[in-house]
Amino acid sequence: MYTQAMDLAPKEERAKLRSAEEAELEARFEARIDAGDFIEAKDWMPEHYRKTLVRQISQHAHSETVGMLPEGNWITRAPTLKRKTILLAKVQDEAGHGLYLYSAAETLGTSRDQMLDALHSGKAKYSSIFNYPTLTWADVGVIGWLVDGAAIMNQVPLTRCSYAPYARAMVRVCREESFHQRQGFDSLLVMMNEGTDAQRVMVQDAVDRWWWPSLMMFGPPDKDSVHGTQSMRWGIKRISNDDLRQKFVDATAEQAKVLGVTLPDPLLAWNAERGHYDFGPIDWDEFWRVVGGHGPCNKERLAARVKAWDDGAWVREAALAHESRRAAKKEAA
Amino acid sequence: MSQNEWPLWEVFVRPKAGLDHKHCGSLHAADAKMALQLAREVYTRRQEGTSVWVVRSSDITASDPGDKPMLFDPMEDKVYRHPTFYKLPEAVDHM
């Protein structure tokens, strides 16, 4: 998750004054991008490309890390041992995805502490979707189906990102993410087909709450996207927000029928002429409100991350102290 | 700012017996033992490996991308190093 970062940050002025040598390097870089080459960590790259990637990859990492919280909320209350082990594995995967991505960002010259500091101080963003609460067990299934489904749509094109360490991390992430969506759908299917009426109502309620925020995960409409064009040209981003969103709607509208739930959009209808589903307008005011820090759980999520980091400080320090004492002893011997 | 950060390690995993260890990513750990443990958690959650190596990132010496043409291009015109360069009579061409 997720390319929102590319759309949200203020536009940076590109340096106007460049030396002849730099212009030459940049021309060569652009040529490599145009030829579809991958860029590796130690290759020359324009400062703006580096900055865009650090912002994108670190915010993607933050999203994976914060993304553990809404679902982690249900680990101790999963209805069966089977669902509990599945959920544990999934949340552990999210932690892993965060770690792959932090490492990829570090290859660009930022440090883990810098990135975490940006998250904890509220300077860095993460995907707006994780600022919504998980009210019932059905939310866990719906997150797998819709949120992870949207994430996969977003992430698959990133496996072809021009920056190779990011692309490699995304290959790993995508390989694991498919399980996340399938387990979610499977869990909902059990509730819909074998559950009680109350459980079916619970699933529908969760779908009603998560549908629109899931559509927002693809970021603002193309016409309002600040960084879209440059990111597309540099091969950081491969498919536009609106195109991905449409692809997601087309896929999920069919899946909803199999599940037997209604998507909460009266305007959702197949358009034979376009060969796509039409859908109603998205409440972008809500999106910007949540991005701006005023979603239902923004404060709670950030506080949980900061507390985990602060509470773990003594462990990090002790481990370092232990190692330096061991190293000193070894040297003395 | 990063003085309290655990050092960075590169992780290499052997996917199965008989294959080479392959670089698969990096992680932070206080010492080698912890780096191995974390590598197992982060990079082999689905039996991706049968063996793991960890190396302090600062201990790796890498070639400079700027030297790529100097280092690797000279091999481009040495086609005689490949078996396909030699056209042999059909009777012995499976050699």
Side-chain angles (χ1 to χ4, degrees), chain A residues 16-36:
Chain A
K16 296 259 163 23
L17 289 172
R18 291 176 306 173
S19 64
E21 191 197 6
E22 220 169 291
E24 154 88 34
L25 284 168
E26 187 153 346
R28 215 180 302 156
F29 173 85
E30 301 276 354
R32 287 186 67 192
I33 294 279
D34 292 342

Side-chain angles (χ1 to χ4, degrees), chain A residues 315-328:
Chain A
V315 180
R316 295 191 298 276
E317 284 159 21
L320 267 189
H322 174 73
E323 168 58 13
S324 65
R325 202 178 312 166
R326 194 199 57 82

Side-chain angles (χ1 to χ4, degrees), chain A residues 77-278:
Chain A
R77 293 176 288 164
T80 65
L81 185 57
K82 175 183 152 186
R83 294 292 164 194
K84 184 170 179 161
T85 49
I86 292 171
L87 185 55
L88 267 171
K90 180 178 189 294
V91 172
Q92 192 192 15
D93 273 355
E94 311 292 3
H97 297 175
L99 292 174
Y100 307 154
L101 290 163
Y102 281 127
S103 297
E106 281 169 90
T107 63
L108 291 160
T110 182
S111 76
R112 186 76 57 104
D113 280 357
Q114 265 173 318
M115 288 186 275
L116 290 179
D117 187 57
L119 173 68
H120 296 160
S121 67
K123 216 168 71 193
K125 300 271 184 244
Y126 51 86
S127 181
S128 55
I129 193 79
F130 301 117
N131 291 315
Y132 291 87
T134 42
L135 302 179
T136 71
W137 170 252
D139 288 38
V140 173
V142 170
I143 286 179
W145 174 37
L146 294 181
V147 176
D148 290 307
I152 291 171
M153 291 262 166
N154 247 322
Q155 291 177 148
V156 168
L158 292 174
T159 60
R160 293 178 293 122
C161 170
S162 62
Y163 187 59
Y166 190 28
R168 284 195 289 267
M170 290 318 297
V171 168
R172 205 172 273 281
V173 168
C174 286
R175 212 163 37 208
E176 297 174 352
E177 198 85 52
S178 162
F179 137 66
H180 296 183
Q181 191 184 18
R182 292 173 68 96
Q183 65 80 34
F185 197 84
D186 174 73
S187 148
L188 297 176
L189 211 50
V190 168
M191 279 190 272
M192 293 304 288
N193 293 346
E194 298 160 37
T196 62
D197 283 344
Q199 284 170 324
R200 276 185 282 272
V201 169
M202 196 165 88
V203 172
Q204 182 62 57
D205 167 65
V207 171
D208 290 347
R209 283 182 287 108
W210 287 95
W211 173 248
W212 292 108
S214 298
L215 293 191
M216 294 174 198
M217 284 175 67
F218 296 93
D222 294 344
K223 60 178 174 55
D224 302 334
S225 175
V226 187
H227 292 274
T229 332
Q230 180 65 61
S231 290
M232 293 277 256
R233 214 170 59 74
W234 270 338
I236 296 174
K237 191 168 166 172
R238 297 281 188 189
I239 307 179
S240 84
N241 295 353
D242 287 337
D243 288 350
L244 282 171
R245 188 165 17 243
Q246 181 69 61
K247 211 173 150 202
F248 176 73
V249 171
D250 291 346
T252 37
E254 294 297 322
Q255 292 159 358
K257 288 183 200 163
V258 176
L259 203 53
V261 296
T262 315
L263 297 174
D265 179 359
L267 296 176
L268 185 77
W270 178 250
N271 182 331
E273 207 172 297
R274 289 203 309 128
H276 290 293
Y277 275 89
D278 290 335

Side-chain angles (χ1 to χ4, degrees), chain A residues 93 103 106 112-113 176, chain B residues 5-6 26 28 41 45-46:
Chain A
D93 273 355
S103 297
E106 281 169 90
R112 186 76 57 104
D113 280 357
E176 297 174 352
Chain B
E5 235 173 49
W6 287 346
S26 50
H28 289 272
E41 297 299 331
R45 289 194 301 283
R46 288 175 178 79

Side-chain angles (χ1 to χ4, degrees), chain A residues 265-313:
Chain A
D265 179 359
L267 296 176
L268 185 77
W270 178 250
N271 182 331
E273 207 172 297
R274 289 203 309 128
H276 290 293
Y277 275 89
D278 290 335
F279 56 98
I282 294 170
D283 181 358
W284 290 111
D285 289 344
E286 173 180 328
F287 172 75
W288 292 113
R289 239 186 351 262
V290 178
V291 168
H294 305 289
C297 300
N298 294 55
K299 290 200 176 68
E300 186 186 328
R301 299 288 184 242
L302 202 55
R305 283 313 315 160
V306 171
K307 181 177 186 310
W309 180 250
D310 290 348
D311 289 355

